[in-house]
Amino acid sequence: MKAGLRYQNGCMYETHGAWYVRYRQRILQEDGSAKLNHASKHLGRSADFSNIFEVKRCRASFMQAVIAIGSVHIRESR
């Protein structure tokens, strides 16, 4: 049975003069189970964006890439 693809926006936040997006990533374990890992991505410096809409557009394009590779699970190696 194939699990449905879930869309996520990610949580956008600004700190230390830069914009970031925080999202969840599913990681397959060696025993076949999956765990969720929190990850964040630096979108750019605050000075590089003229308004919040540009930041949201950057986040949306990044999250589309995350969703596209989301169907390919990352296997955690130990």
Side-chain angles (χ1 to χ4, degrees), residues 1-5 71 73:
M1 182 167 124
K2 186 176 179 181
L5 187 61
S71 58
H73 296 290

Side-chain angles (χ1 to χ4, degrees), residues 41-60:
K41 166 74 174 155
H42 178 262
L43 297 175
R45 296 180 310 155
S46 299
D48 294 340
F49 298 104
S50 63
N51 57 33
I52 191 72
F53 300 111
E54 288 184 12
V55 182
K56 288 182 179 181
R57 193 172 333 151
C58 183
R59 174 189 65 175

Side-chain angles (χ1 to χ4, degrees), residues 1-62:
M1 182 167 124
K2 186 176 179 181
L5 187 61
R6 295 182 62 185
Y7 181 77
Q8 59 178 327
N9 286 325
C11 177
M12 196 171 63
Y13 63 97
E14 182 181 21
T15 185
H16 301 289
W19 282 100
Y20 296 87
V21 62
R22 185 174 168 102
Y23 60 98
R24 291 183 304 249
Q25 187 175 32
R26 186 176 307 274
I27 298 179
L28 289 179
Q29 303 294 311
E30 290 181 5
D31 64 357
S33 64
K35 81 173 188 180
L36 288 177
N37 185 29
H38 289 266
S40 42
K41 166 74 174 155
H42 178 262
L43 297 175
R45 296 180 310 155
S46 299
D48 294 340
F49 298 104
S50 63
N51 57 33
I52 191 72
F53 300 111
E54 288 184 12
V55 182
K56 288 182 179 181
R57 193 172 333 151
C58 183
R59 174 189 65 175
S61 66
F62 171 72

